[in-house]
Structure formats: structure tokens, C-alpha cells
Amino acid sequence: MRVTVVERVPAEEMRIEGLTGDAAIAHALKQCDIDVLAAYPITPQTIIVEDFQKFAANGEVQTKVIPVESEHSAMSACVGASAAGARVATATASAGLALMWEILYCAASLRLPIVLTIANRALSAPINIHNDWSDSYGARDSGFIQLYCQSSQEAYDTTIMAFKLAEDHRVLLPVMVCIDGFILSHNVERVEMLPDEAVRNFLGVRDPVLPLDPDNPITMGPLALTDYYFEIKEGQDRAMDAVPEVYKEVEAAFEKMTGRSYGMFEKYRTDDAEIIILTHSTPAGTAKAVVDVLREKGEKVGVLRLKMFRPFPAAEVAEAIKHAKAVAVFEKCRSFGAVCNPLALEVRAALYDLKERPMVTDFVIGLGGRDVPPTTIVEGYEKTKEYLAKGKAPLYETLGVRK
Amino acid sequence: MAVKLKEMLKVPEILSSGHRMCAGCAAPTIIKLVGMALRGPTVICNATGCLEVATTIYPYTAWKVPWIHVAFENVAAVASGVVEAFNVLREKGRSRYEHVDVIAIGGDGGTFDIGFGALSGALERGHDFVYLVYDNGAYQNTGIQRSGATLPGQETTTSWAGKVEPGKRERKKPLAEIVAAHRIPYVATVSPYYWRDFIQKFRKALEVEGPAFIHAFSPCPRGWRSDTSKSIELSKLAVETGIHPLYEVIDGKEYIMSGPSKRLKELKPLDEYLKLQGQFKHLFTPQWEDFRKQVQEQIIEDWHLLRKKCGLE
């Protein structure tokens, strides 16, 4: 299956609306003509499901919505529907994602192209409804592709591209589309929406491989032990390897249609940067503003905003940051007991084989929705400069917390 | 549906021989009877358990119908997705089937206990599917641990009969009645000994619109320490002693005692059922004489309660 040829959509055919990140995703799901949505309410994702249910109540979508009794059942129903050949989506956050955990692995291993949109939220305890990345970072080994968005527009675009990527026969893996809870999920931004027809042409209808079909009975999800389990995982790993190439094709087609593309990551003023701030989602927007100010002061600093965390584009990231003296990672997750935290672990591993490596600093920020103002980014930047001068940095540290 | 043995024998089996279930296990017989009740294109969703594990050891499968297993506690949710996917694909002109019957199968552990939330949710949402529980009274697949379906006095590896304990002390969860309380169109209990009753009820379950629930009694020689040749006899005795009475519940309101149970003038003594199984052996020691009598009394009490619900008393 190759990516469909699309035409540039004229500006006058685009619809401009002010949408929250959640609403942008709901609109994208509507235009993707999904067959089944199974979801359970959880803050701050709930608007996605509420808006979609309203579309359904008004007959604006041809979708069976299954209002399940838990997130575990949400992902389970998605697996069943996807196995039967339907285009399927769900949405969750935090505890909801934690409850889905077991079935995330099943969805990926059964090679079902489900799109799971997530409004990233902290995990309990203490119970907290605000943003950090502990939820989806925890699921980073589940076999899902993970794409993180910075704006409502990007959330809309990425949701549409996610189906194209997931359903490609070279991939056949589920995708998480992540936005920062409240900071983006509830923030209204300008979103340029494609005409329905353009999205339909772009995605086409799902062409399932080996679905549940009474005329061609197959057994899905059997027991595989020491003699075959490993080979099944090997196949799954290869599918993940195929993601970057397909993602580039999908983005190229999407760019042709809209003029927009994001890449596996975005480089912002990094070419001559001595210190590169590496982060994703909404802190990346703050970081870019900080960089602009620091640049005015003559500082050589830039931002690498990661979009694709799984698969982690290690070689490309290394190439993009290897010239810097230091890379300052900012991440909204603490991996308790780990030498550093999920994002910095990837960055350090990506750089390890280089003869000359930039120093890597790792700042844990914004847990439980603690605000990440520009000053927090500046603080991390200043610390990184200080560590560079000393020639030594701690493996990680927390910023913006009473100690 | 009139069930003629001659016709039934012509129906292709849905589970092939060589399925690797234990000798004497009633579950394959139950699946054979399910196969005889089918009416058209069918998909089976199977919870983790003996039946799932033994019949699909990759790269082999014993299933001749499309079949999916995902996890232990979610088969009703998986079935919800399958049902709605076929519905919407048909509406959108992307399915060549006018209708696909969806059957969810779980053991007692996956149904009475860990899968109960998903089951209750799916029943409340009203998906058109049949849920079949094959109840062998314990987590036999993981090595005979107690479940909500384990009987009082039953010894399992987590309810040992010891110097101070008679096996499980608590009563069995009345699952069919709890399911019926969801006011779904059809609930029935079945036993593989009464094959005609089984097939007719299963067909009825497929035919009603909305969720239907079938509670099948399923002897397990390995866990019960019973002779592998006695499983069908135990299936009969379970009905005759009131361990597993046969009845239907329509719309959660109308209880109907089925022929094999209705014809009983009185229940056979529980001991006849217990003495065929090693798992109840300890109950026949003087220490647990009173406990055994209490279990017998409880079963008689439940029997009269059920007869009242069925309008027979």
C-alpha cells in the first residue's frame, strides 16, 4: 500500500475555527470517518468523547460509539472492532491509560491500527488532574507509536495522519497522539480544518489484513510459547522499524495537501547553537520563546522539539544535536529509581556511540501540572552553562519544586 | 428450533479433534453442542482459560470458525467491539454479511470474578451477542484455585481442606440470577448431559435480539479428581442434586424451570454428587459431617427459592 496522491487544498476551502486541543482531535476523528469509537470519560480528555458523542447524536458521523464501563474495556472493544476490520479510535489520560495497560500490549502485538488520543495527565497518588507525561511515558514500551503535539492545529493534523500511518500495511501498529492535558486540551487556538472530502480522499477506507471473517476463519491471539513467541515479537519490532519511512511519506502527502508538516522532530535555531534545549509538547513552545529572547542577548541557543518519541529517531536526533556543546533535556516525568528520565535516557543512548558527545543535562519539570514558566527554562539553561564551565553535570535534577 | 439428532450430526464441528483439552473435560463437548446450535456466520471471542490455551497452541488451532482471544477479564468488551464493527461495516456497505453472530466464551474465573465488570457493562449496553460461561468451579487452568463459582466444601489450591478448614466456606455466586437482573432478553442454565435442552437454549440465545447468557456446567476431572469417564454422569447428577438446576429467565422477569429439573419429584442427595469427586473427600470425615449437612440444606433452600420464582411452589 502506497500513500495516496493528493492535491493541494485551496485556502478558501479550508475552515478556520477556534478549537481546544480536545475539540481539534474530536473534529479530526469525525472527518476520519471512524467506524467505532469506544471510550470512557476521564479528565482532561473528556471533551474529545463528549464532542464526538454530540456528532453522533446529531447524525453527523456514521460511527458506532461504545460507551464502555472502563478504559480497560475501551481498549478491549477497540481491539475487537479493529480485528473485525473497522477503523477505530479511543481517547484517555492518566489512570485511564494505566487501566488500559494490559490491552495496549495486546493491541500492538495483534498489529491493530487503533488510534489512541491522550491528554497527558499525572498519575496518582496524590490524585491530580493536571499535566505531566508520566502516563504515556510509562507506556513507551507497549508497542504503540507515540506522537506528541504542541498546538491544536498539530493535534488535528496528527490525528488524521495517525490513521494513515497506522493502517499502512508496512506498519500495522497502533498510534498514541498525545497533547498536554489542560495546557493544550483546554486551550483555544486557531485551527485550519480540511474539507471532509479531502480527509476522506487522503485516508481512503481501511483495508484490513486478515480480519475476523466467517468465510475465511482465522485464529487471532493464540497461545505462543517458547518456540514461537520470540518470532512474533521480532516481526513486531520490524514493523516499528518501518515507521520512520512511512511517516515521512504520510507527512509528504499531507504537506502537499495542506502546506504543513512537522517531521519526526522540529529544529528551531539549532544550526549554530552551542546549547540545544530538547523537549516536546507545550514546553517546547515556551522554550522557543525563551530562545528568541536569549538569542537577542547574543546567546547561541536553539530548541529541538521532538514529535516522535516511539520509535525514537535516534540517528536523526544525534545528527541534529551532535555539534552542540550541551543538550538540555526538559521532561515532565520522573522515572523513579532510574539513572535519569525517559527522554534523557533516549538522548544519552542516541549520543553514546559518537566520538565526541555534547554534555546532556536532564531537568524534570512540571510534575502534576506545576507551571513551567519561561524562567524555569532559563534556569535550566543557566545551570547547563554552569555545568559546561565545570565540565560536569548531575545525571538529572528537578526544577520548579520546593526542596 | 426442533432439534433432531440426525440433523445435528450433519452439522460440521467448529472445534476439530486433537484440540489438546484434557481427557474427560466437558468443555469440548460444550463447544460441540454450541456448534450444533449455530445458525449462520459466527465469530467467537474467547477469554483466557483452559479452552483458549489448549485449543490454540501456535502454530496450530482447533477452531474452524473465526476466533479471537485478547485477555482474561475483557471478553465481553472484545465481543462488544466485534458486534458493533460488523454492524457499522454492514451499514457502510463494507461487509458481505447480513448478520454475524458473536459469541463470547469465558470460564468461571473469567466470568464470575475478573471479567464480571466487562460482562455487566456489555449487558447494560445491550449488544446483540451470546455470552457462554463454561463453569468448572475453579481456576482450573492456573492450577485449581478457588473462584466465585467454587462450591462450599470444595477443596482447591487456595481453599485447602485442612485441620481447621473444610475447603471453601462461602457459597457460590448466583451468577445466572445476577445476569438476569440486568433484564437482558434471555438467560439459561445448561448441562452437557441434557444435550437437546442445551442446543435448543443456545439457539434461542442466538435468536433473541440483544444480549443472552448461557451458564454451562462443565466437569473437570483434573481439578475435581473425578474419573475421566464420569464427566457426563456428573453433569446429570449436578442437575438431579440441585447443584446446577436447569432454567430459563426471560427479560429478567419470567423464570421458567426446564424439563429435566421440572420433572424431578425431589432432589437426589448431595452425597451422590460429592462422593464421585476427590475434591470433596474430606467432607465425609466425622469432622465435617455437620458442614456437609449445612451445604445440603443450603442447596435445598435454594432449590425451593428457585421453584417459587418459577411459579412451581
Side-chain angles (χ1 to χ4, degrees), chain A residues 33 35 62 64 66 68-69 72-73 76-77 80-81 84 102-103 205 212-213 215 217-223 228, chain B residues 56 58-59 61 64-71 73-74 77 81-82 84 86 88-89 91-92 94 96-97 118 125:
Chain A
D33 188 28
D35 301 312
Q62 252 193 308
K64 294 288 178 192
I66 310 179
V68 282
E69 80 294 337
H72 192 281
S73 283
S76 300
E102 177 195 19
I103 312 303
V205 171
L212 293 169
D213 177 1
D215 283 347
I218 57 161
T219 289
M220 292 180 80
L223 175 78
Y228 281 102
Chain B
T56 66
Y58 189 85
T61 180
K64 297 181 174 183
V65 288
W67 180 97
I68 182 170
H69 157 256
V70 183
E73 69 281 51
N74 67 346
V82 175
E84 298 313 326
F86 278 114
V88 71
L89 293 178
E91 286 168 20
K92 287 180 168 178
R94 281 157 56 201
R96 58 182 174 283
Y97 306 104
R125 292 189 301 271

Side-chain angles (χ1 to χ4, degrees), chain B residues 137-299:
Chain B
Y139 292 85
Q140 309 294 0
N141 186 48
T142 41
I144 322 163
Q145 292 86 22
R146 106 193 250 296
S147 79
T150 301
L151 293 166
Q154 189 176 331
E155 181 181 46
T156 71
T157 57
T158 52
S159 62
W160 294 102
K163 284 179 185 161
V164 296
E165 290 297 332
K168 182 179 164 179
R169 282 188 185 269
E170 302 76 19
R171 58 184 298 153
K172 176 171 179 160
K173 190 189 278 191
L175 190 68
E177 294 184 47
I178 295 168
V179 167
H182 289 73
R183 300 284 177 94
I184 61 168
Y186 189 66
V187 172
T189 62
V190 296
S191 158
Y193 174 82
Y194 301 97
W195 57 271
R196 194 186 295 270
D197 176 79
F198 186 124
I199 296 167
Q200 278 171 337
K201 283 173 173 171
F202 205 91
R203 184 59 173 260
K204 207 189 270 187
L206 289 167
E207 283 169 354
V208 296
E209 289 209 8
F213 183 83
I214 301 288
H215 181 185
F217 185 79
S218 185
C220 168
R222 175 66 191 84
W224 296 8
R225 280 154 286 150
S226 55
D227 193 284
T228 53
S229 68
K230 297 286 183 195
S231 294
I232 297 302
E233 191 177 329
L234 280 164
S235 302
K236 182 169 184 262
L237 273 171
V239 174
E240 292 171 336
T241 57
I243 285 281
H244 189 80
L246 300 184
Y247 60 97
E248 296 170 289
V249 191
I250 312 298
D251 296 327
K253 292 179 280 191
E254 191 188 347
Y255 276 68
I256 304 164
M257 195 73 88
S258 308
S261 284
K262 202 174 170 181
R263 283 191 289 273
L264 295 173
K265 288 207 175 81
E266 59 179 18
L267 295 178
K268 279 191 177 172
L270 178 64
D271 289 357
E272 287 191 31
Y273 173 78
L274 301 181
K275 70 188 178 192
L276 289 177
Q277 304 167 58
Q279 63 179 349
F280 294 112
K281 190 178 60 189
H282 57 283
L283 294 185
F284 292 93
T285 58
Q287 186 187 3
W288 302 115
E289 197 65 32
D290 286 348
F291 184 84
R292 201 173 89 247
K293 276 183 191 156
Q294 283 167 25
V295 176
Q296 174 69 80
E297 281 163 17
Q298 194 183 86
I299 284 165

